[in-house]
Every structure is written in C-alpha cells, then in structure tokens.
Amino acid sequence: MLLAKNCFTKDNLKTRKTIKLGTLHEYRKIESAQIVDNGEGKYSFFLKFDGTVEIEKPWFSLMFQGAIGIGDDEHLPRIPGAFSAAIHNLEMVGGNDKIIKVRNSSASIHREALNGFIFCMSQVRKLRDAIGLFPDYDDCWYMTATKAHDLGVALSTLLRDRVISGRETGNHIVDPHIPLVDLSIHCRHELVSYLGREIHISNSSLFTVDHFIRKIWDMAFVKPPSFVAEKEYRYSFTIAAGDRILIPTVDNVILNAEQLVDWTV
C-alpha cells in the first residue's frame, strides 16, 4: 500500500521540500471545485428511537450534551466543538442509575469539529492508482503506507516547532496572548469514512448507537459519499497548551519538510 499526495508540480515535496497543512475551515471555502467540501468537519444526525429503547446514561449525556438534564451527573461527557440539538419528541419512561429508557423519541443533532490543521493523502495500492484522482493536479508524490505513523510524528514535530518560531518572530499561527506552557501536538491519522450527512438511527438500525457515538467524535474523518473516489487518508492535528486546545488563527501553514524527501518513493 502507498500514500499518495496529488499536487501541482511546483508543490511536489521532492521539489519544494515543504508540506502545507490547511485547516478544516480552509477546505470549506477553497476555490478548487475538485476538493472543496463546504460541510468539512460538520455532521448532522436524525435520531429516531422506535418503541422502547434503553440508553446508557453516559451515551444519553453525550448525545444531548446536557440539553436534557438527568439530575445526577456532574461530569457530563463533553466533546469539543459546536453542538446543537432539536428534540422533536422525547418520552422518558423509566430507568435506573445506569440507563435511561425512552420510547418513540426523536431528535436532530448537529455537530461541528473544532477548527484545526489537517493533511490529506490518498491510500492506493499502486502508483498508477493515484493518477486522475484529482484531474486539476499534474503531479504526485508517494510514501509507503508503513510510514504513515512516522509521518504523523514528523509533521507533529515540525508543526510544534513552527508554533514556537512563529511566537518568537511574530508570525503567529495561534493566539499570541495564550502562553505556550506544556505545548503539545496531538496527531490522529486514519482512513476517512464516507457517509451521508444525515443518519437515521433506530433500535433496529445497522448503524448502531455505538457507531453513532464513535462518529460523533470522528467528524474530521467523515465525508459524504460523493468524495469516495479520493480514497482519503487524513492526518488531523490538535494544538494544546496544557489542557487547553489552541485554535489556529491562520488558514494554513507551510512546514519545512526537507528531512522527509528521502521517505518518498
């Protein structure tokens, strides 16, 4: 397996020796029709529970993020990013200290990932499989998929160095007023899932509550089926200072990646 990065010839890692990280927000408004996704990092669900369904309290709290209080949970599960819920019908018919029983209930939930830097590649079997994935681009560079984790570590290190150097030179990529104490970069990387923006969940649905909970965390790794041909393998970077997440103040950042040129095939 290979990881491929389609690009313009002038931007090929082998030539330019840099890598550009863009933000979720940038990908929503980018001009290129072949890669723009104005729903990037957003996800909407329609939850419908048919009949009587038991929901564990942590799941209930996570799904509704405190929109409905259950009276005894001081530590509601929280996920970063915008959240809104429209409860169409909610009939709680019982429960105990572990579960909530609801009957014939439904709600619409909209989640939006925090803005952050991402880097997108395509996972392909052979060199030729990347040709034509993005017709506007005229070039491509590759790494073996076995380097996926190493690439994430390397890009995280380069991004951390760039945050620090930007603070020192005035070329800030995060809020200059927030101290960079215990600065760290958290990188997650995996294949993107291609699912419809609207998901119907019921007690008999193959898309289970477990799957729903996982996807609510995975918004930065979910795209609609219209993008499935991209075969995207994505890196997502979270900048943190201590326990505080820092949101980029720029749409993109260029990293000096000369050290990665030898990794290409």
Side-chain angles (χ1 to χ4, degrees):
M1 282 291 189
L2 297 168
L3 296 181
K5 182 62 177 178
N6 290 74
C7 60
F8 295 114
T9 299
K10 65 182 179 62
D11 297 324
N12 192 307
L13 173 61
K14 295 180 180 180
T15 304
R16 192 164 184 169
K17 299 179 174 58
T18 61
I19 284 180
K20 173 185 173 182
L21 307 183
T23 63
L24 287 169
H25 287 184
E26 182 183 41
Y27 278 92
R28 290 177 195 164
K29 61 187 181 183
I30 200 166
E31 293 181 357
S32 175
Q34 68 179 345
I35 58 176
V36 66
D37 176 11
N38 56 20
E40 192 75 69
K42 300 178 181 179
Y43 215 76
S44 295
F45 304 86
F46 179 69
L47 305 181
K48 182 174 176 59
F49 299 100
D50 299 317
T52 301
V53 181
E54 294 186 353
I55 309 173
E56 290 187 10
K57 280 189 174 181
W59 285 349
F60 186 93
S61 298
L62 181 59
M63 283 189 283
F64 294 103
Q65 289 287 284
I68 294 294
I70 54 178
D72 63 349
D73 195 347
E74 297 180 357
H75 305 287
L76 294 177
R78 297 291 181 181
I79 44 181
F83 169 89
S84 62
I87 300 171
H88 309 300
N89 181 53
L90 181 60
E91 183 182 359
M92 293 189 289
V93 295
N96 52 41
D97 60 342
K98 294 183 178 180
I99 62 101
I100 297 290
K101 289 185 179 181
V102 301
R103 181 169 59 204
N104 298 330
S105 299
S106 62
S108 296
I109 293 180
H110 178 77
R111 290 282 298 113
E112 183 173 337
L114 283 176
N115 191 30
F117 289 115
I118 61 174
F119 181 64
C120 308
M121 304 184 78
S122 298
Q123 182 172 286
V124 296
R125 293 183 61 84
K126 299 179 180 179
L127 298 177
R128 65 173 180 267
D129 294 338
I131 298 174
L133 289 180
F134 302 90
D136 290 353
Y137 291 136
D138 59 3
D139 205 355
C140 190
W141 56 267
Y142 306 83
M143 285 185 182
T144 63
T146 57
K147 286 284 190 182
H149 179 72
D150 292 340
L151 180 60
V153 172
L155 291 177
S156 297
T157 300
L158 292 172
L159 179 57
R160 185 179 187 277
D161 292 344
R162 177 62 181 81
V163 173
I164 294 172
S165 66
R167 178 63 59 90
E168 294 172 346
T169 62
N171 297 313
H172 304 288
I173 64 172
V174 296
D175 188 335
H177 300 102
I178 299 177
L180 300 181
V181 179
D182 295 327
L183 179 67
S184 60
I185 308 295
H186 302 270
C187 175
R188 181 177 174 184
H189 57 93
E190 62 184 62
L191 285 166
V192 162
S193 296
Y194 296 97
L195 299 171
R197 296 287 187 202
E198 303 289 338
I199 299 296
H200 175 208
I201 300 176
S202 69
N203 61 340
S204 60
S205 174
L206 292 177
F207 192 95
T208 63
V209 174
D210 280 328
H211 199 181
F212 166 75
I213 296 300
R214 183 168 62 85
K215 288 304 168 191
I216 237 179
W217 284 93
D218 286 355
M219 288 170 302
F221 290 87
V222 173
K223 300 191 73 170
S226 58
F227 291 87
V228 68
E230 296 177 357
K231 305 173 184 177
E232 184 176 337
Y233 192 94
R234 174 169 293 191
Y235 291 82
S236 177
F237 302 91
T238 301
I239 305 171
D243 59 359
R244 184 173 184 175
I245 295 176
L246 307 186
I247 305 301
T249 56
V250 297
D251 281 341
N252 58 72
V253 62
I254 306 296
L255 303 178
N256 184 341
E258 184 174 1
Q259 68 192 66
L260 303 181
V261 173
D262 289 342
W263 293 10
T264 60
V265 295

